Amino acid sequence: MSIDLIIHSANQVLTLTGDAPKRGANQGELSIIRSGAIAIAGEEIIAVGDTLDLLALADTRTRKIDARGKIVLPGFVDAHTHAVFAGNRANEFEMRLQGASYLDIQKAGGGIMSTVRATRTALIDDLVEQARARLDAMLAHGTTTAEVKTGYGLDTANELKMLNAIATLNANHAMDIVPTFLGAHVVPEEFKGREDAYVDLVVNEMLPTMTNYKHLHRTQVQVLQITNSSLVTRHSPLFCDTFCDDGAFTLLQTRRILTRAKELGFGLRVHADEFANLGAATLAAELGAASADHLMVTRRDEMRAMAQANVVAVLLPGTTFGLGKKDFADGRAFVEENVPVALGSDINPGTCWCESMPFIIALACRYEKLTPAEAIVAATINAAASLGIANQVGSLAPGKLADALIADVPDYRHLAYRFGANPIETVIKRGKIATRMNADERG
Amino acid sequence: MSIDLIIHSANQVLTLTGDAPKRGANQGELSIIRSGAIAIAGEEIIAVGDTLDLLALADTRTRKIDARGKIVLPGFVDAHTHAVFAGNRANEFEMRLQGASYLDIQKAGGGIMSTVRATRTALIDDLVEQARARLDAMLAHGTTTAEVKTGYGLDTANELKMLNAIATLNANHAMDIVPTFLGAHVVPEEFKGREDAYVDLVVNEMLPTMTNYKHLHRTQVQVLQITNSSLVTRHSPLFCDTFCDDGAFTLLQTRRILTRAKELGFGLRVHADEFANLGAATLAAELGAASADHLMVTRRDEMRAMAQANVVAVLLPGTTFGLGKKDFADGRAFVEENVPVALGSDINPGTCWCESMPFIIALACRYEKLTPAEAIVAATINAAASLGIANQVGSLAPGKLADALIADVPDYRHLAYRFGANPIETVIKRGKIATRMNADERG
């Protein structure tokens, strides 16, 4: 087989071998190859190893990139995003600086509902174009795969519109996207006082409709004349997520929604314990959810239940930072309790407009007490595991997708040690150079 | 006069009119021009105003940049950096995550002294090359002028080597640099137990030697065949700074050093109240220092003394973040007490490797309770005032240096609302396009 690309002479290649999520003390295992290289053919990694061994595989048409003094690692997997939305909420940001709480803003008719109103009136093309700029920035910061949620439509037609925007981006953007249906993001204003009627709508109409998503996706794709392959259609299930918290959905409502979703074949995720502990982490363990996310106020016994049930803890420190809060999720406790920990940006217009996984890593080390190695594991293989695609992405191994990053730092710890700027110099997505920057062009 | 460049049609041009530092409630005054433009000839701003008015000034050779949907603002002025150093301290970063304190690390022979050892053995060319990469990244994030301190030499020869590295960068790099002598950064290990003898060395040998700096600088410049103009030689005084804190210099030692520096004609800055309150903010007011910096544990009465004496409060939230600490300086209190507030990155290898002023702004709003407008004022005109160059940079006005940024956001609040990525699309430095990025190249 002819090798298309060899990245060689890296100070460190972080392979993160294996397809399983990593837990506890073993999270330190980045499986580093010094003076390492990776060889790529088409969209796949062909070999990972010593530079001299791999350079021997090159032929005349092999492109070579010298990564001397730098590190190579798997593309980041962002386990939790709301990257598709219309408009912005810079106004509310200022309100919040002046003391208004998330729930205050929501009760005042702002918050999520203002994004819902903007998203409902947006055309699908607008949603796609506005999200594309964010995906571009995410890709430039090393995110090669991201989960993206619906949840700003909150009626069947607009949730489908969001899902189609997500599918369109997945088909047209270099990044691979795993979609999640989040019809139960918040009760929309027109259902105020009739919350259970909205849950009925989610359970009885939206969920069954979304199970036709693959069909709809196929037909939409044909209409849009999208021809390239996509991770969604090939590999990943559609996930269902529910925001279980004060001001969102009760534990009982969450149970109804997720139980029905499971019956219909959805993978499960849950927004758990962001503000109040309503028991959602335990529910996630009981239902065998792929992930529970946020987890700001989760108890140790709930962590142990998650560990037992293989529920990945998706921590979202960007949101805590975005809100200017000082109490972050206790990442160390999840590691101690043997829960596999993943990271997500949670990019969204209300609390966290952040495209940078390197920043999330820097934050998780300082305020959630992960080690740099644990944070890198959390941003790659464990995030992939939470999305059910750890056999395809999240580590550098033969047969996996050639999603790899060159970072212009001499050692993996610099990804967390430095912050605020973008350490990622080159992004390889499915074997193609997606972005490449000189130092003075880099953000 | 022929116009070289017009940036036009900006959603907002933030002019920040005036040369004086802004205080208190008036910090909200960004003096915004909607659908605004700036006109540049050579290195200077010629006009600022309405797009149609300014476009009428164009001739056939005027270059035009359309900033539709974006904002234009003055280049950032970074009021406090240690951007020149050798090596890195990623090891200690991991130590600190595991519970070691700044002073623990310092006492263990690491901390600042490990950078001092690396800097002493580095050739001047190495210092320049290592710093250049950081200045490139700072410039890409919009910093067009930065203060840079010595302080990793800690003997006369090596402090001079650092000063020459700073002068070389100022002459060769697009960014303008204001130098500060920080021989009293920490007592070097060879003076352990003889701290006052080191203060003697600073006062009796280093300070008088550094007053010959301009002479040395000129000769060095000739040797290096540097010909272009530089802000240092033309406009700014040499500053003297002292780190007054537990583990560094006592108030008495600080008073000796700064008093002598003042007699010799240095402008004064002081590292005050970062860990312990030793009275350095009050001393800064008494001596008429240009700035007091850090100010984590400053009392209200001290703030009032600073306000009275026109001492600029330089806040450095990146360091608090870098250390993973939760208690930030109380920016709101300084505003309330009418102290002009400036921001700096404090980029340094020990506690804060951060090249991004937009990130510092995002941090200051969330954790030091500045409004977005106050934070922008702090990162431009007030930082310039703290460096004695507010008549040249820090606002957009005819006659000032043409240091301007185009940010790809529709409103100034987005500079703080979004975080982690770089909102700066185009950097104009002294009338020349220093960096220009497409969205997908931006970090």
Side-chain angles (χ1 to χ4, degrees), chain A residues 174-420:
Chain A
M175 195 184 296
D176 280 309
I177 299 174
V178 176
T180 294
F181 166 65
L182 179 61
H185 195 186
V186 67
V187 177
E189 53 199 356
E190 64 271 22
F191 280 87
K192 196 169 153 65
R194 303 184 295 127
E195 288 77 10
D196 281 326
Y198 184 68
V199 175
D200 291 342
L201 183 71
V202 172
V203 167
N204 299 327
E205 182 177 305
M206 290 192 199
L207 277 174
T209 304
M210 299 300 154
T211 57
N212 294 319
Y213 167 68
K214 286 192 178 94
H215 170 66
L216 280 167
H217 178 59
R218 241 192 339 267
T219 57
Q220 292 291 331
V221 163
Q222 284 160 1
V223 168
L224 296 168
Q225 306 205 314
I226 293 162
T227 55
N228 63 325
S229 65
S230 86
L231 196 67
V232 174
T233 48
R234 288 195 303 163
H235 306 287
S236 97
L238 181 58
F239 283 97
C240 176
D241 189 354
T242 298
F243 190 175
C244 182
D245 218 312
D246 284 352
F249 294 87
T250 65
L251 185 66
L252 202 65
Q253 291 166 338
T254 303
R255 179 186 288 279
R256 266 190 75 199
I257 294 164
L258 293 184
T259 301
R260 182 67 184 133
K262 188 174 180 181
E263 289 166 4
L264 291 169
F266 288 81
L268 305 185
R269 320 182 80 74
V270 60
H271 281 64
D273 304 338
E274 182 176 2
F275 301 103
N277 185 327
L278 304 187
T282 303
L283 180 66
E286 179 194 326
L287 296 178
S291 75
D293 303 36
H294 282 293
L295 304 168
M296 305 285 296
V297 290
T298 307
R299 295 190 315 269
R300 289 266 177 170
D301 62 298
E302 297 174 297
M303 296 178 194
R304 287 192 285 274
M306 287 174 63
Q308 197 91 42
N310 296 312
V311 179
V312 177
V314 177
L315 303 183
L316 306 166
T319 313
T320 314
F321 178 87
L323 288 166
K325 292 169 68 175
K326 294 185 176 181
D327 292 322
F328 287 75
D330 188 351
R332 193 85 245 125
F334 285 93
V335 170
E336 287 167 2
E337 299 296 353
N338 263 333
V339 184
V341 172
L343 288 168
S345 69
D346 197 18
I347 181 170
N348 77 77
T351 56
C352 182
W353 191 321
C354 174
E355 288 106 343
S356 170
M357 284 298 283
F359 177 65
I360 298 297
I361 289 170
L363 203 49
C365 289
R366 286 174 177 79
Y367 289 98
E368 301 191 324
K369 303 303 177 200
L370 299 185
T371 65
E374 286 166 352
I376 291 169
V377 162
T380 54
I381 189 68
N382 279 14
S386 87
L387 296 169
I389 52 174
N391 59 332
Q392 302 166 65
V393 298
S395 63
L396 299 176
K400 282 200 158 182
L401 284 181
D403 293 358
L405 312 176
I406 304 174
D408 188 10
V409 293
D411 177 280
Y412 72 90
R413 289 168 301 184
H414 285 250
L415 294 182
Y417 166 55
R418 307 184 193 183
F419 55 91

Side-chain angles (χ1 to χ4, degrees), chain B residues 17-63:
Chain B
T17 45
D19 298 348
K22 298 181 194 295
R23 294 163 189 257
N26 287 325
Q27 291 200 350
E29 297 297 328
L30 299 176
S31 303
I32 294 173
I33 302 172
R34 294 184 191 277
S35 192
I38 66 171
I40 293 166
E43 295 195 338
E44 282 187 11
I45 296 169
I46 295 300
V48 177
D50 178 75
T51 288
L52 291 182
D53 294 346
L54 266 65
L55 282 177
L57 303 174
D59 59 39
T60 51
R61 53 171 289 286
T62 304
R63 178 170 180 178

Side-chain angles (χ1 to χ4, degrees), chain B residues 319-359:
Chain B
T319 314
T320 314
F321 178 87
L323 289 166
K325 291 169 68 174
K326 294 184 176 181
D327 291 323
F328 287 76
D330 188 351
R332 193 86 244 127
F334 285 93
V335 171
E336 285 167 4
E337 298 296 354
N338 263 333
V339 183
V341 173
L343 287 169
S345 69
D346 196 20
I347 181 170
N348 78 77
T351 56
C352 182
W353 191 320
C354 173
E355 289 106 343
S356 170
M357 285 297 283
F359 177 65

Side-chain angles (χ1 to χ4, degrees), chain B residues 98-155:
Chain B
Q98 291 156 2
S101 77
Y102 183 89
L103 296 176
D104 287 344
I105 291 169
Q106 197 174 309
K107 283 174 187 158
I112 287 177
M113 279 312 297
S114 69
T115 299
V116 171
R117 288 187 290 270
T119 302
R120 284 176 172 175
T121 57
L123 298 173
I124 187 169
D125 288 354
D126 294 335
L127 287 180
V128 167
E129 284 318 301
Q130 290 183 45
R132 185 187 304 280
R134 293 185 280 271
L135 296 185
D136 288 347
M138 290 162 71
L139 186 69
H141 288 82
T143 300
T144 49
T145 303
E147 186 256 22
V148 181
K149 301 177 196 295
T150 71
Y152 298 119
L154 305 190
D155 60 40

Side-chain angles (χ1 to χ4, degrees), chain B residues 224-394:
Chain B
L224 295 169
Q225 306 206 312
I226 293 162
T227 55
N228 63 324
S229 64
S230 87
L231 196 66
V232 174
T233 49
R234 289 193 302 163
H235 305 287
S236 97
L238 182 58
F239 284 98
C240 175
D241 190 354
T242 298
F243 189 176
C244 181
D245 218 312
D246 283 353
F249 294 88
T250 65
L251 185 66
L252 202 65
Q253 292 166 338
T254 303
R255 178 185 289 278
R256 267 190 75 200
I257 294 165
L258 294 183
T259 301
R260 182 68 184 131
K262 188 175 179 180
E263 289 166 5
L264 292 170
F266 287 81
L268 305 185
R269 321 182 80 72
V270 59
H271 281 63
D273 304 338
E274 182 178 1
F275 300 104
N277 186 328
L278 304 187
T282 302
L283 179 67
E286 180 193 325
L287 297 179
S291 75
D293 304 34
H294 282 294
L295 304 169
M296 304 285 297
V297 290
T298 308
R299 294 190 314 270
R300 289 266 177 168
D301 63 297
E302 297 174 296
M303 296 178 194
R304 286 191 286 273
M306 287 173 63
Q308 198 90 41
N310 296 313
V311 180
V312 177
V314 177
L315 303 184
L316 306 167
T319 314
T320 314
F321 178 87
L323 289 166
K325 291 169 68 174
K326 294 184 176 181
D327 291 323
F328 287 76
D330 188 351
R332 193 86 244 127
F334 285 93
V335 171
E336 285 167 4
E337 298 296 354
N338 263 333
V339 183
V341 173
L343 287 169
S345 69
D346 196 20
I347 181 170
N348 78 77
T351 56
C352 182
W353 191 320
C354 173
E355 289 106 343
S356 170
M357 285 297 283
F359 177 65
I360 298 298
I361 288 169
L363 204 48
C365 289
R366 286 174 177 78
Y367 290 97
E368 302 191 323
K369 303 300 174 199
L370 299 185
T371 65
E374 287 165 352
I376 291 169
V377 162
T380 54
I381 189 68
N382 280 14
S386 86
L387 296 170
I389 51 174
N391 59 333
Q392 302 166 63
V393 298

